[in-house]
Amino acid sequence: MADTRQATGLTPQEWDDDFFVEYIQDSPFKSVMGTNENSIIQMHEDFAKGKGDNMSIALVNRLTGDAITGTNILEGNEQDLASRSFNFNINKRRTAVRLAEMTEYRSSINLRDAARSSLMTWAQEDVRDRIITALGSIDGVAFGSADDTARDAWLANNSDRVLFGAAKGNNSSNDFSAALAQIDNSADKLTPGALSLMKRMALETRTGSDAGKPKIRPIRIAKQNRRYFKVYAGPRAFRDLKENTAIQQAQREVSIEMENNRLFQGGDLVWDGMIIHEVDDISPISNGTIDCEPVYLCGAQSIAYGVGKRYKTKTKTFDYGDKYGVAIEAIDGIHKMRFGTGDDDTDNPVDHGVLTGFFAGVADS
């Protein structure tokens, strides 16, 4: 006689594992997630093996020294790898739903399946919102919670990584509110020229007071021997860019190879080695006269996504078994990576992989 086998879908552990995999695969940021230093969103699950609420990721800068040639001695002339570390906290996050059931025979495992869609949507939106918040954060604080003093200090440290409108000169002595006020709705919309300026700022060699800051590294696609930046723009800035005639012509020339690139999603625009993606949930900010929208040019190691504990479900019965609840929880953290430019890792922190632009974003009339 054959033994009775439990259906795979009713096994709690497999349900939880399948949920995590599907949740990652369906994420709008999946194409830029990875585990190595070439990823925009660098994921770490190794920390799930240990305890504690703090994680650390190594930030490795590129080598810049000259080669040792001929019979000259290499030993003793090695380059400094110039690595730094980024430390951040992880925390528990959870939500739950409660369902009333008409039959006392329905199992809690089946109820997990019934709640799967709602829980999946919540998890994806929660991660999406935290990534957007991290991109706009001011030294680890959400933009809306940072005061003028914090914004000015952030701008002073990141002056080579922030662009206000179409010109670098709009930065008024690292006064954030004054620089934002320079943006108007005619000269400072998001344009191909502004995007190219952002790219040049990301790649230019730092000099003077910025000499200790590395370039923002583009993502390298080995099979194509090409490199790209990914740019995230809100709907208003994206609208203005899409209406530009130079962009419209460039999109007619986008190759099938580009459209098949793993970083390319439907509706993306391509310009000058950048893939521009519209993000509906990037919110405008006012400069006192008009609305402006942040635009984020992202290179390697922009965001750290540490997973201390994968999403896992728990169930509970209420009201003498008439109602069932199912909760889902994880321990993780999502933060914009920063490195210190002083003697210590945390001195004078600078955004590692993100260059932030602010452009006119006036609402449709």
Side-chain angles (χ1 to χ4, degrees), residues 326-344:
V326 55
I328 189 165
E329 64 182 28
I331 298 177
D332 64 17
I334 298 175
H335 301 269
K336 179 165 59 176
M337 292 199 205
R338 306 185 306 279
F339 66 92
T341 57
D343 294 334
D344 187 76

Side-chain angles (χ1 to χ4, degrees), residues 127-139:
V127 170
R128 177 204 64 198
D129 293 345
R130 285 191 287 152
I131 290 174
I132 294 171
T133 298
L135 287 171
S137 62
I138 303 296
D139 289 331

Side-chain angles (χ1 to χ4, degrees), residues 4 10 53 68 74 83 114-115 123 131 143 157 177 190 219 230 244 254 296 303 307 317 348 359:
T4 300
L10 302 184
D53 62 354
I68 303 300
L74 177 60
S83 62
I131 290 174
F143 182 87
N157 287 333
S177 59
L190 181 61
I219 311 151
K230 195 74 181 274
N244 186 279
V254 173
Y296 306 110
I303 298 291
V307 180
T317 60
N348 304 324
F359 299 94

